[in-house]
């Protein structure tokens, strides 16, 4: 739930979007965390599904 909350305000995933984006969330007992996301796609026959995938997180000082 916290990882998906970092994507609040992102544009819908799709062709033509930035390859990477980042967001920040407050994590209980840890503090503010910056999460980086990559734009990815998955093909099934003629359909392409675009989505944001988290790949890195770091504590924000």
């Amino acid at each position: 739930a916290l990882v998906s909350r970092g994507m609040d305000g992102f544009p819908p995933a799709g062709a033509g979007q930035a390859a990477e984006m980042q967001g920040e969330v407050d994590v209980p007992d840890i503090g503010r965390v910056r999460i980086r996301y990559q734009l990815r796609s998955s093909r099934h026959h003629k359909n392409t599904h675009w989505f944001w995938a988290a790949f890195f997180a770091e504590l924000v000082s």
Side-chain angles (χ1 to χ4, degrees):
L2 292 173
V3 173
S4 64
R5 203 174 302 156
M7 295 185 292
D8 288 352
F10 278 20
Q17 294 295 342
E20 291 184 7
M21 294 190 79
Q22 63 185 19
E24 293 185 5
V25 294
D26 288 316
V27 178
D29 301 325
I30 293 177
R32 195 110 175 118
V33 174
R34 179 177 300 123
I35 305 171
R36 291 172 47 192
Y37 302 86
Q38 285 181 328
L39 181 63
R40 296 198 180 164
S41 66
S42 173
R43 290 188 52 94
H44 182 72
H45 301 292
K46 294 182 180 181
N47 298 319
T48 302
H49 173 71
W50 292 91
F51 59 97
W52 295 107
F55 73 96
F56 185 79
E58 62 186 341
L59 190 60
V60 176
S61 300

